[in-house]
Amino acid sequence: MPEVTAPEAAAIIGKSIHTVHRRIDEGTLLARKEGTGERKRVYIEIDELRRFAGEYGYRFDEVIAAKYAG
């Protein structure tokens, strides 16, 4: 399943990276976390991001998603 990083997810839904992290922290957007501290990376499946955007009324840019899911 293709995944994107938090900054890529933010670009796809047209929101800030802070919004993406806030939604992950509150549990409304599911993500996989790797690493610790400042090197922590977050990965979000494209289908999960699409589901989230539809459920919460965010746009989902398929063109940008295709570019990142490459």
Side-chain angles (χ1 to χ4, degrees):
M1 186 69 50
E3 294 179 316
V4 293
T5 63
E8 293 168 344
I12 292 167
I13 63 171
K15 297 294 178 183
S16 73
I17 189 169
H18 300 292
T19 297
V20 171
H21 281 288
R22 189 171 40 254
R23 293 303 198 133
I24 291 168
D25 290 345
E26 69 188 18
T28 56
L29 177 60
L30 302 178
R32 178 174 63 85
K33 298 178 182 179
E34 282 188 359
T36 60
E38 291 187 24
R39 297 218 181 261
K40 187 186 305 182
R41 304 270 302 178
V42 173
Y43 298 95
I44 304 153
E45 290 185 2
I46 290 286
D47 286 344
E48 166 61 13
L49 186 60
R50 189 179 286 113
R51 178 210 61 81
F52 166 79
E55 183 173 335
Y56 291 94
Y58 293 118
R59 73 172 176 85
F60 184 92
D61 191 315
E62 292 288 351
V63 173
I64 297 174
K67 173 184 155 188
Y68 288 132

